[in-house]
């Protein structure tokens, strides 16, 4: 029960932050990686379902670990049927807009079913305040801070993206720290891990 609760909570915190990063910097990501503002618009539309995508993957794995793979199989088959039906109905009529709708409906439905079954089977309550409201508030604060800081300084391109993500991350962590969602040790460990990952390429080059 404690493992399920911690896994769901951690997944929500990380995925909500990533969703905020994609949503806030969608135009910049579209231009830098794909050279297209239209792609940036698609990234913005799909950003809110990032938490559902992460939760679906985590819940599916935990269901299988608990020996409930039958439920996982049923949900995956149902998802495939829903996708095929929606593609035939929506994509034919609305094109790319319909495809985006299929992605949103499919991921949200399957994720909700998987998480609901996982929480029910493990008798684990969902802490809405800690796992949803506080991360959403932190994400909103980070997005606003990054938008004002980057637009105010006029930084653009890769440096603008890097600055925005750093400001968002710092603001996100600060709000979670103030609200008691995370503690100082968690922030230090996360920062240390990020530094280790960032320094890894340099170490490999030296070797």
């Amino acid at each position: 029960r404690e493992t399920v609760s911690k896994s769901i909570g951690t997944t929500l915190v990380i995925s909500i932050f990533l969703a905020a990063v994609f949503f806030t910097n969608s135009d910049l990501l579209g231009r830098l990686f794909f050279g297209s503002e239209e792609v940036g618009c698609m990234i913005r539309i799909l950003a809110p379902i990032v938490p559902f995508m992460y939760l679906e993957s985590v819940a599916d794995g935990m269901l299988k670990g608990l020996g409930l793979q039958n439920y996982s199989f049923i949900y995956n088959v149902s998802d495939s049927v829903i996708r095929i039906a929606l593609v035939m109905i929506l994509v034919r009529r609305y094109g790319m807009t319909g495809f985006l709708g299929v992605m949103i409906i499919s991921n949200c439905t399957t994720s909700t079913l998987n998480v609901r079954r996982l929480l029910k089977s493990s008798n684990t309550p969902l802490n809405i305040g800690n796992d949803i409201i506080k991360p959403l508030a932190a994400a909103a604060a980070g997005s606003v801070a990054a938008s004002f800081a980057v637009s105010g300084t006029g930084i653009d391109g890769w440096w603008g993206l890097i600055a925005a993500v750093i400001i968002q991350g710092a603001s996100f962590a600060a709000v979670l720290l103030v609200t008691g969602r995370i503690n100082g040790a968690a922030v230090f460990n996360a920062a240390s891990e990020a530094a280790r990952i960032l320094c890894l390429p340099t170490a490999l080059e030296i070797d």
Side-chain angles (χ1 to χ4, degrees), residues 19-102:
V21 170
F22 286 129
F23 186 87
T24 305
N25 306 291
S26 56
D27 291 335
L28 196 53
L29 287 168
R31 292 200 307 270
L32 291 176
F33 286 96
F34 305 99
S36 170
E37 293 186 358
E38 184 178 357
V39 174
C41 181
M42 294 180 187
I43 293 174
R44 186 183 302 111
I45 293 172
L46 293 175
I49 70 170
V50 168
F52 291 95
M53 297 171 69
Y54 271 75
L55 282 173
E56 179 183 347
S57 177
V58 170
D60 180 73
M62 297 194 79
L63 283 174
K64 292 175 181 175
L66 292 171
L68 300 172
Q69 57 269 17
N70 289 340
Y71 287 103
S72 178
F73 174 75
I74 292 172
Y75 296 152
N76 287 330
V77 171
S78 300
D79 177 54
S80 298
V81 173
I82 291 173
R83 289 196 186 206
I84 293 172
L86 290 177
V87 165
M88 294 177 65
I89 297 171
L90 297 180
V91 177
R92 287 181 60 186
R93 178 171 297 184
Y94 301 106
M96 183 54 70
T97 302
F99 175 75
L100 294 177
V102 171

Side-chain angles (χ1 to χ4, degrees), residues 189-204:
N189 291 335
S192 299
E193 183 64 15
R196 184 189 68 79
I197 293 173
L198 291 173
C199 292
L200 183 58
T202 304
L204 291 176

